[in-house]
Amino acid sequence: MNNFILKNENAIYYEVNFSCDNVIFLNLGNEKFFITDARYTIEAKEYSKGCVVIESSNLIETAKDILKRNKVKELIFDPFDFSYATFSILKNNLETKLKEEANFSKIKRLIKTEQEIKLLKKAANLGREGFENFAKFIAKKGFEKTEKELFFEAFKNMTQKAKYDASFDPIIAINKNAAKPHALPTNKKLKGNDLLLVDAGIKYKRYCSDRTCTSFVDFENFSFKREQKFRNKKHQKIYDIVLSAQQKAINGARSGMKASNIDKIARDYIEKSGYGKYFVHSTGHGVGLDIHEYPNINNKNDLIIEDNMVFTIEPGIYLSDEFGVRIEDTIVMQNGRGIIL
């Protein structure tokens, strides 16, 4: 792939080690052009690698001038990368043929380098520290805190007081609210014997972590460890089913198998346990510069899993108006097997 154009920040960062929120990137053979405005040119020249930084007040017109000057016949673009308005301006009076290739940057980033895996492992370890810090806060000060207050505290603890960015807005859900996979925080207050679901992550050098824990709320012994003892028998039953499904999928994942087969391991176990219709999302997703990358671990994806792919395993059961359980870890495929980061 010699000639392509990008607007997506993370896709551009992958190419030249720097990005910003107003940039057009052109890759023309061995030449790379980072076109941005005056707000970013100094940092772009300082941090970017292997590209020419061009300052412009009209990025699209500058890109078109470069394409015309280099007599580029064909240029690959991602249709998800451009708004209709921007694309219309780009193609207007342009002789270069624009060739559509959806998600080509995500496909390019499917198999992580050893350096990327190191960064993802560091992010995962820092994310674990964040969960441990948050657990200490809950044990000491969590009683009768609302989900909204806990949401704020999760941000503070996960990011180590803004030392790191969050991968995404944390999900903080108590009891009934945990039955919503992407629950928004409410004024529901945390009490002893509650079920608490927390989904959170941080970024380390732009690479994301992602983890979900479901815990029994005992303020004297609160933790996000996988071993949980609930006083509510149904909570315990569902938790044990989800944990077993997750462990089976992680232990059963192999390089060379289809992504859909990893999903099937978790889904089959939950279905055999009688809760199949309550597992309403895919088993996992890729993690990297984006919190949701390839590969998608779902029942429709027949992509062959390979070593150095990184993705989550996160089965869940959601019982409307009762509670929900999700357990998630991010794994890397190495030597043919899945290893928890």
Side-chain angles (χ1 to χ4, degrees), residues 28-142:
L28 305 179
N30 294 322
E31 292 186 286
K32 302 176 191 292
F33 302 91
F34 189 103
I35 309 164
T36 189
D37 66 64
R39 295 172 297 169
Y40 301 113
T41 48
I42 294 173
E43 287 179 319
K45 288 175 180 176
E46 184 178 354
Y47 295 115
S48 64
K49 295 180 180 178
C51 64
V52 177
V53 177
I54 299 172
E55 185 177 308
S56 171
S57 59
N58 191 325
L59 276 53
I60 288 288
E61 290 304 321
T62 299
K64 289 169 75 170
D65 288 343
I66 293 170
L67 293 170
K68 290 172 183 176
R69 193 165 63 243
N70 286 273
K71 298 179 180 178
V72 176
K73 294 181 179 179
E74 186 175 87
L75 188 71
I76 291 169
F77 77 99
D78 183 347
F80 297 110
D81 203 2
F82 288 83
S83 68
Y84 178 77
T86 303
F87 183 72
S88 297
I89 297 167
L90 174 64
K91 73 174 184 178
N92 187 40
N93 293 324
L94 185 69
E95 292 184 8
T96 303
K97 179 185 176 183
L98 296 172
K99 184 181 178 184
E100 180 179 321
E101 283 196 23
N103 295 310
F104 69 83
S105 179
K106 283 189 176 182
I107 293 167
K108 189 176 184 179
R109 284 147 44 202
L110 251 172
I111 297 175
K112 305 299 188 263
T113 65
E114 292 302 324
Q115 178 60 18
E116 286 183 293
I117 290 168
K118 284 181 183 177
L119 293 174
L120 285 161
K121 187 171 182 61
K122 179 70 172 177
N125 287 333
L126 289 168
R128 179 176 286 274
E129 285 180 28
F131 267 92
E132 289 170 356
N133 293 338
F134 189 34
K136 289 174 185 175
F137 171 84
I138 290 171
K140 290 179 181 177
K141 300 180 179 179

Side-chain angles (χ1 to χ4, degrees), residues 266-284:
R267 200 166 300 280
D268 281 358
Y269 185 82
I270 290 175
E271 284 179 354
K272 286 174 184 174
S273 299
Y275 291 91
K277 69 179 181 179
Y278 303 105
F279 180 12
V280 296
H281 54 70
S282 62
T283 292

Side-chain angles (χ1 to χ4, degrees), residues 41-268:
T41 48
I42 294 173
E43 287 179 319
K45 288 175 180 176
E46 184 178 354
Y47 295 115
S48 64
K49 295 180 180 178
C51 64
V52 177
V53 177
I54 299 172
E55 185 177 308
S56 171
S57 59
N58 191 325
L59 276 53
I60 288 288
E61 290 304 321
T62 299
K64 289 169 75 170
D65 288 343
I66 293 170
L67 293 170
K68 290 172 183 176
R69 193 165 63 243
N70 286 273
K71 298 179 180 178
V72 176
K73 294 181 179 179
E74 186 175 87
L75 188 71
I76 291 169
F77 77 99
D78 183 347
F80 297 110
D81 203 2
F82 288 83
S83 68
Y84 178 77
T86 303
F87 183 72
S88 297
I89 297 167
L90 174 64
K91 73 174 184 178
N92 187 40
N93 293 324
L94 185 69
E95 292 184 8
T96 303
K97 179 185 176 183
L98 296 172
K99 184 181 178 184
E100 180 179 321
E101 283 196 23
N103 295 310
F104 69 83
S105 179
K106 283 189 176 182
I107 293 167
K108 189 176 184 179
R109 284 147 44 202
L110 251 172
I111 297 175
K112 305 299 188 263
T113 65
E114 292 302 324
Q115 178 60 18
E116 286 183 293
I117 290 168
K118 284 181 183 177
L119 293 174
L120 285 161
K121 187 171 182 61
K122 179 70 172 177
N125 287 333
L126 289 168
R128 179 176 286 274
E129 285 180 28
F131 267 92
E132 289 170 356
N133 293 338
F134 189 34
K136 289 174 185 175
F137 171 84
I138 290 171
K140 290 179 181 177
K141 300 180 179 179
F143 180 67
E144 295 226 318
K145 288 287 190 294
T146 67
E147 287 177 340
K148 289 180 179 179
E149 290 173 307
L150 292 170
F151 174 88
F152 171 77
E153 292 295 338
F155 248 121
K156 193 164 75 173
N157 285 278
M158 290 299 300
T159 64
Q160 297 185 23
K161 296 182 179 177
K163 185 177 180 181
Y164 305 101
D165 288 333
S167 300
F168 53 93
D169 284 352
I171 297 169
I172 310 293
I174 300 167
N175 297 339
K176 286 184 180 181
N177 213 23
K180 308 167 192 171
H182 279 193
L184 298 173
T186 71
N187 290 317
K188 170 79 174 172
K189 291 182 178 180
L190 188 69
K191 294 182 172 62
N193 300 335
D194 280 345
L195 176 147
L196 176 66
L197 185 152
V198 177
D199 187 347
I202 64 102
K203 292 182 182 179
Y204 177 73
K205 296 185 177 180
R206 293 184 76 114
Y207 282 83
C208 299
S209 77
D210 193 2
R211 186 172 181 233
T212 305
C213 301
T214 305
S215 297
F216 171 70
V217 179
D218 174 356
F219 293 107
E220 291 184 6
N221 298 293
F222 184 83
S223 81
F224 287 118
K225 292 179 180 178
R226 290 295 179 241
E227 300 76 29
Q228 293 287 328
K229 296 299 179 186
F230 295 84
R231 289 186 183 168
N232 181 307
K233 289 182 179 179
K234 193 169 185 181
H235 287 181
Q236 190 70 55
K237 177 184 176 183
I238 298 301
Y239 185 87
D240 291 344
I241 291 169
V242 174
L243 182 60
S244 292
Q246 196 229 14
Q247 290 176 337
K248 286 178 183 295
I250 292 172
N251 294 335
R254 295 287 184 274
S255 296
M257 72 166 32
K258 295 176 180 179
S260 56
N261 286 341
I262 299 175
D263 180 273
K264 191 174 188 301
I265 294 170
R267 200 166 300 280
D268 281 358

